[in-house]
């Protein structure tokens, strides 16, 4: 059976919470669906509710937004995956047992992003994880994923994570920043105006690093991870301006955990499934839906906000959420979309910051050239670069054709880990652009679900 | 691979025991299966078809590297699934 709702919001991070709140305040009937135990997404990641403790300022802000949304009448559907999206704005929901269907008059997607996977020799060894994995364990469960951490990646979030690790008593052997951020940051100093909260968080993390004497190596990157059953050491190297390792600069560094923080990939699967036209925008993280000023995609009544429509951080997600919530409410007959003019200056400020962030911290092409022929590109199906090369020799020249030949991208993660890696490899080998090579078309169910869950008909 | 110590500002949930491959593993309510395994020092609990060890990679339910069988249900993401008293977890080695 299919339930009806005026507005369905998918994802309860900063963007989704603000969108749901704005739409409900305008008078719309709103359902907010989230797949986590605790709404809040990655940015507002809450400590497990069974734990007792003092929440951080981010956690307090997230909890307050959630309370406001509930008070405004938003119906929260937690611990529920959206595994499919079909014509006439029907979403398929699964809570681990049963499937239900929800039909909305407008859908606001706020599905966020995930850490960018980077393939290099040894990246499938236990102990290599994303920075998000390490941070989530600390924030949610107060657990350290290792003892001696190497942080490799780009951007200020690495400093925040290193500081959190140091404060929790872990050893951080080094933080590698791939971008030659100094002195280029000075060219963008204007975008830092009115970003005092971000600057103060960055400064405080920086001071913690200095206090713990954690080396911060600018222009360095990971090249390989080595170990028998798990990570024992890493090979790192100086990078040139395109992020290619400089031959002869390699060093070995002992560690048991490597946290990869090379930015984020937008989770655009649902906007693609709903037919929204996509664009390839490396500076926004990859493939993202095109949108108008109301955050509406090319699919009428389907909006996308926050990182799932282009990496921009929590503050931008909040503004976009308010605009989309207000616009979607007006579309279904409530209010007048007044958030668009009201939030114009906040939107401009956050977009400036987004452009600065992209200019400084978008990885160079060298990051996609670390894999060797025996390196696995598709973790699920264990497809190596050599197998992808073989598929190209057979005539494949798109990511989808490589999938049909090799099964790369057909595993449980549905290509979310490997599509970018395979696409960049094909582009390099064939001399075509990543946009031409393309991403993988999504197929429902976009998450594995029990076969019994499909027994329920609409 | 450890739990950050409790402090006056912060305390874990109640202690519970889960059963992993037939052996008891102490955990605390509010932790995930992956959290409890990592805190006990275990980095890998899956083996691929080619025999490669895997554990947690993405930590937010995207990569599906951390799958376990929970109370008979297969392909459960250890990074998203909270522990519960008496929960029976089978890592891939023991899954038929």
């Amino acid at each position: 059976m299919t339930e009806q709702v005026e507005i369905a919001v998918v994802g309860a991070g900063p963007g989704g919470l603000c969108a749901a709140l704005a739409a409900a305040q305008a008078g719309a009937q709103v359902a907010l669906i989230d797949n986590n135990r605790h709404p809040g997404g990655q940015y507002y990641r809450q400590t497990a509710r069974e734990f007792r403790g003092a929440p951080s300022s981010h956690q307090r802000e997230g909890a307050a937004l959630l309370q406001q949304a509930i008070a405004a009448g938003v119906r929260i559907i937690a611990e529920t995956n959206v595994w499919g999206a079909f014509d006439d704005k029907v979403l398929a929901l699964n809570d681990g047992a049963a499937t239900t269907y929800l039909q909305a008059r407008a859908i606001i997607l706020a599905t966020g992003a995930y850490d960018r996977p980077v393939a290099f020799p040894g990246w499938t060894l236990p102990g290599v994880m994303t920075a998000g994995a390490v941070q989530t364990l600390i924030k949610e469960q107060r657990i350290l994923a290792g003892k001696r951490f190497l942080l490799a990646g780009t951007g200020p979030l690495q400093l925040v994570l290193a500081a959190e690790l140091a404060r929790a008593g872990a050893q951080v052997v080094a933080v590698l920043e791939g971008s030659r951020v100094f002195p280029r940051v000075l060219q963008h100093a204007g975008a830092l105006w009115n970003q005092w909260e971000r600057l103060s968080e960055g400064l405080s993390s920086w001071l913690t690093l200095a206090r713990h004497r954690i080396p911060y190596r600018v222009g360095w990157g990971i090249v390989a991870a080595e170990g028998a059953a798990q990570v024992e050491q890493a090979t790192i190297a100086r990078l040139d301006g395109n992020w290619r390792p400089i031959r002869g600069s390699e060093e070995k560094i002992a560690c048991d955990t490597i946290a990869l923080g090379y930015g984020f990939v937008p989770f655009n699967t649902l906007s693609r499934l709903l037919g929204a036209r996509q664009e390839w925008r490396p500076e926004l993280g990859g493939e993202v839906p095109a949108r108008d000023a109301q955050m509406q995609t090319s699919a009428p009544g389907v909006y996308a906000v926050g990182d799932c429509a282009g990496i921009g951080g929590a503050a931008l997600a909040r503004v976009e959420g308010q605009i989309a919530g207000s616009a979607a409410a007006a579309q279904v007959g409530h209010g007048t979309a007044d958030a668009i003019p009201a939030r114009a200056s906040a939107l401009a400020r956050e977009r400036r910051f987004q452009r600065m962030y992209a200019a400084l911290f978008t990885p160079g092409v060298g990051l996609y050239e670390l894999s060797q022929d025996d390196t696995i590109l598709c973790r699920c199906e264990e497809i190596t670069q050599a197998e992808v090369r073989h598929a190209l020799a057979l005539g494949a020249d798109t990511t989808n054709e490589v999938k049909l030949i090799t099964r790369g991208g057909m595993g449980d993660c549905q290509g979310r880990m490997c599509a970018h890696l395979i696409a960049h490899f094909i582009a390099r080998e064939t001399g075509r652009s990543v946009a031409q090579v393309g991403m993988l078309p999504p197929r429902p169910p976009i998450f594995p679900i029990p076969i019994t869950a499909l027994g329920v008909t609409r | 691979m450890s739990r950050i110590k409790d402090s006056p500002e912060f305390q874990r949930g109640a202690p519970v025991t889960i059963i992993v491959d037939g052996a008891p593993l102490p955990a605390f309510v509010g932790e995930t299966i992956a959290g409890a395994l990592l805190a006990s020092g275990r980095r890998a609990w899956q083996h691929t078809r080619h025999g490669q060890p895997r554990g947690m990679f993405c930590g937010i339910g995207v990569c599906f590297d951390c799958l376990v069988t929970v109370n008979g249900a297969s392909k459960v993401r250890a990074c998203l699934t909270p522990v519960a008293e008496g929960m029976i977890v089978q890592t891939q080695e023991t899954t038929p």
Side-chain angles (χ1 to χ4, degrees), chain A residues 35-37 42 45 47-48 50-54 79 81 113-115 117-118 123-130 132-134 136-138 140-147 168 229-230 256-257 260 376 379-382 407 412-413 416-417 447-448, chain B residues 1-14 28-39 41 43-65 67 75 77-83:
Chain A
N35 69 344
N36 284 286
R37 280 191 288 163
Q42 311 308 331
R45 171 73 65 178
T47 306
E50 300 84 354
F51 288 19
R52 272 178 299 156
E79 290 185 84
N81 273 322
Y114 52 91
D115 289 89
V118 181
W123 80 295
T124 54
L125 272 177
V128 180
M129 329 181 171
T130 68
V134 173
T136 298
L137 273 177
I138 298 177
E140 186 183 70
Q141 305 175 45
R142 305 288 291 163
I143 286 173
L144 292 172
K147 291 193 177 82
Q230 59 167 319
D256 62 34
T257 307
L260 303 172
I376 283 173
R379 296 174 72 95
C380 300
E381 298 291 316
E382 296 185 279
R407 293 191 58 82
D412 285 331
C413 91
R416 282 182 279 267
M417 290 290 115
F447 293 107
Chain B
M1 287 175 287
S2 60
R3 293 185 171 88
I4 301 168
K5 281 202 186 72
D6 283 7
S7 64
E9 295 83 51
F10 176 82
Q11 283 132 36
R12 289 182 183 281
F28 295 87
V29 175
E31 294 177 352
T32 61
I33 297 168
L37 285 166
L38 281 166
R43 309 303 291 283
W45 50 86
Q46 257 232 90
H47 276 90
T48 64
R49 276 174 305 180
H50 296 157
Q52 299 301 308
R54 296 279 178 86
M56 189 169 88
F57 181 69
C58 83
I60 58 169
V62 181
C63 78
F64 292 82
D65 255 14
L67 298 180
K75 284 203 175 186
R77 287 170 282 185
C79 71
L80 294 185
T81 309
V83 298

Side-chain angles (χ1 to χ4, degrees), chain A residues 114-205:
Chain A
Y114 52 91
D115 289 89
R116 176 178 307 283
V118 181
F120 50 85
W123 80 295
T124 54
L125 272 177
V128 180
M129 329 181 171
T130 68
V134 173
Q135 188 158 42
T136 298
L137 273 177
I138 298 177
K139 276 199 208 175
E140 186 183 70
Q141 305 175 45
R142 305 288 291 163
I143 286 173
L144 292 172
K147 291 193 177 82
R148 305 185 72 195
F149 290 81
L150 171 69
L151 273 54
T154 188
L157 291 177
Q158 287 210 105
L159 299 178
V160 176
L161 176 58
E164 280 177 24
L165 284 166
R167 280 195 286 263
Q171 189 187 353
V172 180
V173 296
V175 178
L176 310 181
E177 168 58 63
S179 168
R180 297 182 174 212
V181 60
F182 308 112
R184 288 194 299 138
V185 64
L186 297 175
Q187 298 163 13
H188 300 275
L192 292 169
W193 183 255
N194 235 334
Q195 296 286 355
W196 316 127
E197 196 189 337
R198 281 178 160 130
L199 286 170
S200 111
E201 189 177 29
L203 182 66
S204 134
S205 301

Side-chain angles (χ1 to χ4, degrees), chain A residues 323-349:
Chain A
I323 291 172
S326 162
Q331 183 205 313
V332 301
H334 303 281
T336 54
D338 51 3
I340 297 169
R343 303 303 287 149
S345 76
L347 183 67
R349 182 184 70 217

Side-chain angles (χ1 to χ4, degrees), chain A residues 64-75:
Chain A
L65 255 179
L66 176 65
Q67 286 318 312
Q68 274 182 280
I70 292 170
V74 174
R75 175 176 158 216

Side-chain angles (χ1 to χ4, degrees), chain B residues 1 17 30 52 58 66 68 71 74 77 88:
Chain B
M1 287 175 287
T17 303
Q52 299 301 308
C58 83
C66 68
V68 291
N71 297 334
S74 61
R77 287 170 282 185
I88 296 177

Side-chain angles (χ1 to χ4, degrees), chain A residues 194-224:
Chain A
N194 235 334
Q195 296 286 355
W196 316 127
E197 196 189 337
R198 281 178 160 130
L199 286 170
S200 111
E201 189 177 29
L203 182 66
S204 134
S205 301
W206 180 273
L207 291 174
T208 306
L209 254 67
R211 203 160 45 241
H212 289 86
R213 300 181 192 287
I214 297 170
Y216 180 55
R217 303 177 71 165
V218 176
W220 283 75
I222 181 88
V223 172

